[in-house]
PDB file of all heavy atoms in Angstrom:
ATOM      1  N   SER A  15      10.207  15.207  36.546  1.00 52.00           N
ATOM      2  CA  SER A  15      10.604  14.587  35.281  1.00 52.00           C
ATOM      3  C   SER A  15       9.362  14.278  34.448  1.00 52.00           C
ATOM      4  O   SER A  15       8.354  13.822  34.959  1.00 52.00           O
ATOM      5  CB  SER A  15      11.397  13.308  35.540  1.00 52.00           C
ATOM      6  OG  SER A  15      10.562  12.355  36.114  1.00 52.00           O
ATOM      7  N   GLU A  16       9.476  14.581  33.180  1.00 56.00           N
ATOM      8  CA  GLU A  16       8.376  14.303  32.265  1.00 56.00           C
ATOM      9  C   GLU A  16       8.609  12.957  31.604  1.00 56.00           C
ATOM     10  O   GLU A  16       9.710  12.646  31.179  1.00 56.00           O
ATOM     11  CB  GLU A  16       8.291  15.383  31.201  1.00 56.00           C
ATOM     12  CG  GLU A  16       7.904  16.733  31.721  1.00 56.00           C
ATOM     13  CD  GLU A  16       7.774  17.738  30.589  1.00 56.00           C
ATOM     14  OE1 GLU A  16       7.558  17.308  29.439  1.00 56.00           O
ATOM     15  OE2 GLU A  16       7.904  18.929  30.870  1.00 56.00           O
ATOM     16  N   GLU A  17       7.548  12.192  31.550  1.00 60.00           N
ATOM     17  CA  GLU A  17       7.652  10.909  30.871  1.00 60.00           C
ATOM     18  C   GLU A  17       7.482  11.112  29.371  1.00 60.00           C
ATOM     19  O   GLU A  17       6.606  11.835  28.932  1.00 60.00           O
ATOM     20  CB  GLU A  17       6.565   9.962  31.371  1.00 60.00           C
ATOM     21  CG  GLU A  17       6.756   9.556  32.802  1.00 60.00           C
ATOM     22  CD  GLU A  17       5.688   8.552  33.215  1.00 60.00           C
ATOM     23  OE1 GLU A  17       5.143   7.856  32.330  1.00 60.00           O
ATOM     24  OE2 GLU A  17       5.411   8.482  34.402  1.00 60.00           O
ATOM     25  N   LYS A  18       8.334  10.480  28.626  1.00 66.00           N
ATOM     26  CA  LYS A  18       8.215  10.556  27.167  1.00 66.00           C
ATOM     27  C   LYS A  18       7.186   9.545  26.698  1.00 66.00           C
ATOM     28  O   LYS A  18       7.175   8.397  27.131  1.00 66.00           O
ATOM     29  CB  LYS A  18       9.558  10.274  26.506  1.00 66.00           C
ATOM     30  CG  LYS A  18      10.577  11.345  26.737  1.00 66.00           C
ATOM     31  CD  LYS A  18      11.817  11.066  25.950  1.00 66.00           C
ATOM     32  CE  LYS A  18      12.817  12.183  26.158  1.00 66.00           C
ATOM     33  NZ  LYS A  18      14.021  11.959  25.377  1.00 66.00           N
ATOM     34  N   ARG A  19       6.323   9.991  25.819  1.00 60.00           N
ATOM     35  CA  ARG A  19       5.316   9.095  25.261  1.00 60.00           C
ATOM     36  C   ARG A  19       5.896   8.382  24.057  1.00 60.00           C
ATOM     37  O   ARG A  19       6.489   8.991  23.180  1.00 60.00           O
ATOM     38  CB  ARG A  19       4.085   9.878  24.855  1.00 60.00           C
ATOM     39  CG  ARG A  19       3.358  10.456  26.040  1.00 60.00           C
ATOM     40  CD  ARG A  19       2.147  11.184  25.597  1.00 60.00           C
ATOM     41  NE  ARG A  19       1.190  10.213  25.076  1.00 60.00           N
ATOM     42  CZ  ARG A  19      -0.017  10.517  24.656  1.00 60.00           C
ATOM     43  NH1 ARG A  19      -0.427  11.762  24.675  1.00 60.00           N
ATOM     44  NH2 ARG A  19      -0.835   9.599  24.198  1.00 60.00           N
ATOM     45  N   ARG A  20       5.724   7.095  24.040  1.00 60.00           N
ATOM     46  CA  ARG A  20       6.181   6.299  22.912  1.00 60.00           C
ATOM     47  C   ARG A  20       4.979   5.861  22.096  1.00 60.00           C
ATOM     48  O   ARG A  20       3.908   5.615  22.651  1.00 60.00           O
ATOM     49  CB  ARG A  20       6.948   5.073  23.406  1.00 60.00           C
ATOM     50  CG  ARG A  20       8.195   5.444  24.164  1.00 60.00           C
ATOM     51  CD  ARG A  20       9.015   4.251  24.524  1.00 60.00           C
ATOM     52  NE  ARG A  20       8.240   3.036  24.688  1.00 60.00           N
ATOM     53  CZ  ARG A  20       8.561   2.071  25.538  1.00 60.00           C
ATOM     54  NH1 ARG A  20       9.609   2.169  26.292  1.00 60.00           N
ATOM     55  NH2 ARG A  20       7.819   0.984  25.619  1.00 60.00           N
ATOM     56  N   PRO A  21       5.120   5.755  20.779  1.00 53.00           N
ATOM     57  CA  PRO A  21       3.982   5.337  19.940  1.00 53.00           C
ATOM     58  C   PRO A  21       3.446   3.957  20.297  1.00 53.00           C
ATOM     59  O   PRO A  21       2.269   3.686  20.143  1.00 53.00           O
ATOM     60  CB  PRO A  21       4.540   5.343  18.526  1.00 53.00           C
ATOM     61  CG  PRO A  21       5.712   6.238  18.571  1.00 53.00           C
ATOM     62  CD  PRO A  21       6.258   6.134  19.963  1.00 53.00           C
ATOM     63  N   GLU A  22       4.304   3.083  20.812  1.00 56.00           N
ATOM     64  CA  GLU A  22       3.846   1.740  21.156  1.00 56.00           C
ATOM     65  C   GLU A  22       2.890   1.765  22.341  1.00 56.00           C
ATOM     66  O   GLU A  22       2.071   0.872  22.505  1.00 56.00           O
ATOM     67  CB  GLU A  22       5.031   0.826  21.511  1.00 56.00           C
ATOM     68  CG  GLU A  22       6.109   0.740  20.472  1.00 56.00           C
ATOM     69  CD  GLU A  22       7.163   1.821  20.631  1.00 56.00           C
ATOM     70  OE1 GLU A  22       7.547   2.151  21.738  1.00 56.00           O
ATOM     71  OE2 GLU A  22       7.571   2.349  19.591  1.00 56.00           O
ATOM     72  N   ASP A  23       3.003   2.790  23.169  1.00 58.00           N
ATOM     73  CA  ASP A  23       2.209   2.832  24.381  1.00 58.00           C
ATOM     74  C   ASP A  23       0.797   3.352  24.175  1.00 58.00           C
ATOM     75  O   ASP A  23      -0.105   3.018  24.932  1.00 58.00           O
ATOM     76  CB  ASP A  23       2.906   3.706  25.437  1.00 58.00           C
ATOM     77  CG  ASP A  23       4.242   3.129  25.867  1.00 58.00           C
ATOM     78  OD1 ASP A  23       4.435   1.903  25.732  1.00 58.00           O
ATOM     79  OD2 ASP A  23       5.081   3.908  26.338  1.00 58.00           O
ATOM     80  N   ASP A  24       0.571   4.188  23.199  1.00 60.00           N
ATOM     81  CA  ASP A  24      -0.755   4.785  23.067  1.00 60.00           C
ATOM     82  C   ASP A  24      -1.560   4.256  21.882  1.00 60.00           C
ATOM     83  O   ASP A  24      -2.621   4.777  21.586  1.00 60.00           O
ATOM     84  CB  ASP A  24      -0.664   6.305  23.001  1.00 60.00           C
ATOM     85  CG  ASP A  24       0.136   6.797  21.823  1.00 60.00           C
ATOM     86  OD1 ASP A  24       0.562   5.974  21.008  1.00 60.00           O
ATOM     87  OD2 ASP A  24       0.323   8.022  21.722  1.00 60.00           O
ATOM     88  N   GLY A  25      -1.100   3.251  21.183  1.00 65.00           N
ATOM     89  CA  GLY A  25      -1.870   2.633  20.127  1.00 65.00           C
ATOM     90  C   GLY A  25      -1.798   3.323  18.781  1.00 65.00           C
ATOM     91  O   GLY A  25      -2.464   2.913  17.839  1.00 65.00           O
TER      92      GLY A  25
END
Side-chain angles (χ1 to χ4, degrees):
S15 67
E16 293 183 23
E17 293 183 25
K18 291 186 178 182
R19 293 181 68 177
R20 297 186 332 212
E22 306 88 39
D23 296 336
D24 61 4

